[in-house]
Amino acid sequence: MQIVEYPISTYLPRDVVYFDGSSATLPQDYVLKEGNLRLFVPKNKIEDVVNALKGSGFREEKLEFYKGEKYSLSMRIYNIWELHVRIYDDGFIDGHFEVSRDYLEHLQYYTIPSIYEVFDFYRTAYNKLHIFDNVAKKWIKEVRTQYLITLEPPKSLTAWQPITAIVGALSAIGIIAYALSRLDKGED
């Protein structure tokens, strides 16, 4: 097991003004729920955004829980953390910080949404920040104040690769032991 020292932090919108002129104070638990606040790029810019993310070090993910996305990309951030980005056919983008897939804790540990960091990685391909409040069904025109959200690391981390190597070795030993127990003279 590995002990981790560094948390990860991000800013998320708190007091916002919508394009219709109304304003709202978004509760912290609301902005922490992935999918409530979403990034958006026009459909004709999706490929450019994907290429910009890949050019910044993101890679396509095959081991993930599929949520209907066209692209699932992730990049290692600060040793144990990953920034995971899902891009959908309609141009909406969801991103979050999570424990790396290299650790068993990835499967059950908290995540926090990422808006500004994801934008920062693709802004060379599309430099307009569009944030959509998916519950209110309104576009955000202005963010007046923000929450500083910090995700503390797990107390310890368990790398899954050594476990699979041990299980594989024990399985091989079991198969060999079974085969050897079946040795016979070759008679009926």
Side-chain angles (χ1 to χ4, degrees):
M1 291 214 192
Q2 174 183 348
I3 296 177
V4 186
E5 299 176 22
Y6 303 107
I8 193 160
S9 296
T10 189
Y11 287 97
L12 293 171
R14 180 174 185 250
D15 292 302
V16 299
V17 177
Y18 298 106
F19 273 93
D20 68 3
S22 63
S23 60
T25 298
L26 305 174
Q28 186 170 334
D29 61 338
Y30 180 83
V31 299
L32 284 174
K33 186 171 184 205
E34 187 174 347
N36 283 354
L37 299 179
R38 305 180 79 190
L39 290 165
F40 175 81
V41 296
K43 290 180 187 180
N44 67 338
K45 291 292 184 181
I46 291 174
E47 298 301 322
D48 295 338
V49 165
V50 168
N51 290 334
L53 291 170
K54 287 180 178 179
S56 296
F58 281 81
R59 64 188 191 289
E60 291 200 48
E61 278 305 330
K62 302 296 183 221
L63 296 174
E64 52 104 18
F65 296 108
Y66 179 71
K67 293 185 176 180
E69 65 272 16
K70 182 175 184 177
Y71 295 99
S72 179
L73 306 167
S74 73
M75 182 171 82
R76 194 72 164 279
I77 305 276
Y78 306 127
N79 192 18
I80 68 141
W81 302 108
E82 284 184 15
L83 179 53
H84 185 191
V85 178
R86 287 184 165 97
I87 302 173
Y88 297 85
D89 280 330
D90 58 6
F92 283 102
I93 300 172
D94 294 324
H96 64 263
F97 290 106
E98 62 189 355
V99 172
S100 169
R101 286 167 175 73
D102 292 342
Y103 304 100
L104 292 176
E105 289 76 9
H106 170 83
L107 297 172
Q108 61 187 2
Y109 203 70
Y110 306 101
T111 64
I112 54 173
S114 170
I115 293 175
Y116 305 117
E117 295 83 3
V118 175
F119 171 70
D120 199 39
F121 281 110
Y122 73 69
R123 68 185 172 136
T124 57
Y126 185 72
N127 68 354
K128 293 181 180 172
L129 176 62
H130 301 295
I131 304 172
F132 185 69
D133 185 328
N134 199 39
V135 176
K137 302 295 184 209
K138 296 180 182 182
W139 294 97
I140 294 175
K141 180 180 181 180
E142 180 184 351
V143 177
R144 292 195 171 152
T145 63
Q146 302 181 68
Y147 293 106
L148 174 61
I149 306 294
T150 300
L151 181 60
E152 294 294 329
K155 300 254 186 260
S156 63
L157 291 169
T158 309
W160 62 265
Q161 290 168 330
I163 292 171
T164 58
I166 291 168
V167 168
L170 291 175
S171 296
I173 291 169
I175 290 168
I176 291 169
Y178 174 77
L180 291 175
S181 75
R182 305 301 300 163
L183 281 175
D184 201 345
K185 289 185 195 178
E187 299 172 355
D188 290 54

